[in-house]
Amino acid sequence: MTRASTETLFPAENYDLEKTLDCGQAFRWLRSGDGWRGVVNGEWVELRSVPGGIAARTVLPQRDWRWLADYLQADANIQNIVDSFPRDNVMARAVEHCRGLRLLKQDAWECLASFILSSTKQIPQIKQGIANICTAFGAAVPSPPGAALAWSFPAPAVLAASTERALRECRIGFRAPYLLASARAVASGEVSLEEVNSMTLPEARKHLVRLPGVGPKIADCVLLFAYGFQQAFPVDVWVLRALRMLYFAKKRPKPARIRLFANTYFGPFAGYAQQYLFHYVRTVKGALPERPRK
DNA sequence: CACCAGGGTACCT
DNA sequence: AGGTACCATGGT
């Protein structure tokens, strides 16, 4: 029986904390010195990469760290995953560039709401909108003396009780009515986020797409980043560009053709491959041969 | 000023 | 079914 503590170590090999926290799957982590600070499960958390794994610190003493271990996915066998990728030179370069990048297992509602706010916005602006939402509607979370104030991500019922006007003051634009309507659908139980856990991937997609402001792309983001569906394959503008330029010789495949290709070509961890491809083409200059129009 | 950003929806053919 | 304007906002 271990005693409650505010610090622990998650053993891991080949875990790149910076790439993992800042590759566009989560939006709430802030760099602080050589570590990262954020809020997970309604608790202030600081993470630091150390020899042998990830060191974590909280404010409240923890007896059970499983909630954070689950989030970090430090136990995932990254080597097996990378070995399952197709062996073409594009994926080889992506794997080289993304070494140590893990997919997190995030809270479903926070992930869903975050990606509702993501449409046609750049990642820094997505982060800003989410920060505004948390400051305006979240609950204060205990943080260490001297550290910046921290807020939880507001629960569905909290946002459901808000108004479109108040949400628009968070500078989220036309996404405000989507966020409000989805919060109400989830809070009322009309669309259960819990039931997704016992669904197949096609069932889960149909289920989430019922929510206003949630289409195929956002549904697959949530299924990949929060529910652990490793074959979910979000296709955004970057991934579409990459697939077209790198695998379709600049042709214009239809969305259904893309999905079929993704699931047959990239294998059982297609979603992981997608994130490697996304981070690679987005951060490496010259990864894509040219800057295509439309 | 035009164009773009981890899209979705309504409304056309 | 497949195309397209539009939806706010901030940055080049």
Side-chain angles (χ1 to χ4, degrees), chain A residues 38-60:
Chain A
V39 175
V40 180
N41 232 25
E43 287 213 45
W44 185 95
V45 177
E46 184 175 68
L47 302 173
R48 191 181 315 277
S49 193
V50 297
I54 306 297
R57 176 164 78 102
T58 56
V59 174
L60 309 177

Side-chain angles (χ1 to χ4, degrees), chain A residues 103-243:
Chain A
L103 290 189
L104 301 166
K105 195 164 193 300
Q106 303 181 55
D107 172 74
W109 167 244
E110 176 171 343
C111 186
L112 172 63
S114 296
F115 278 97
I116 286 175
L117 299 183
S118 75
S119 62
T120 51
K121 285 219 280 196
Q122 300 181 121
I123 288 177
Q125 295 192 30
I126 299 169
K127 291 178 177 174
Q128 187 58 59
I130 293 168
N132 292 344
I133 292 284
C134 292
T135 308
F137 298 99
V141 165
S143 56
L149 295 177
W151 283 269
S152 66
F153 193 93
V158 174
L159 294 184
S162 180
T163 63
E164 182 181 327
R165 174 194 292 267
L167 291 175
R168 278 184 188 268
E169 285 174 8
C170 295
R171 318 310 294 161
I172 60 175
F174 61 83
R175 305 154 193 90
Y178 292 151
L179 180 60
L180 180 59
S182 283
R184 289 182 172 164
V186 172
S188 72
E190 181 191 340
V191 174
S192 165
L193 296 185
E194 188 58 40
E195 289 173 4
V196 173
N197 287 303
S198 57
M199 291 180 179
T200 65
L201 180 54
E203 289 170 346
R205 280 175 170 142
K206 275 198 286 187
H207 186 74
L208 289 183
V209 161
R210 289 167 53 200
L211 292 164
V214 179
K217 189 271 176 183
I218 291 176
D220 269 28
C221 282
V222 177
L223 293 171
L224 180 63
F225 300 143
Y227 289 98
F229 282 96
Q230 311 278 354
Q231 296 207 47
F233 196 91
V235 178
D236 74 313
V237 290
W238 286 98
V239 172
L240 181 61
R241 259 180 223 156
L243 294 179

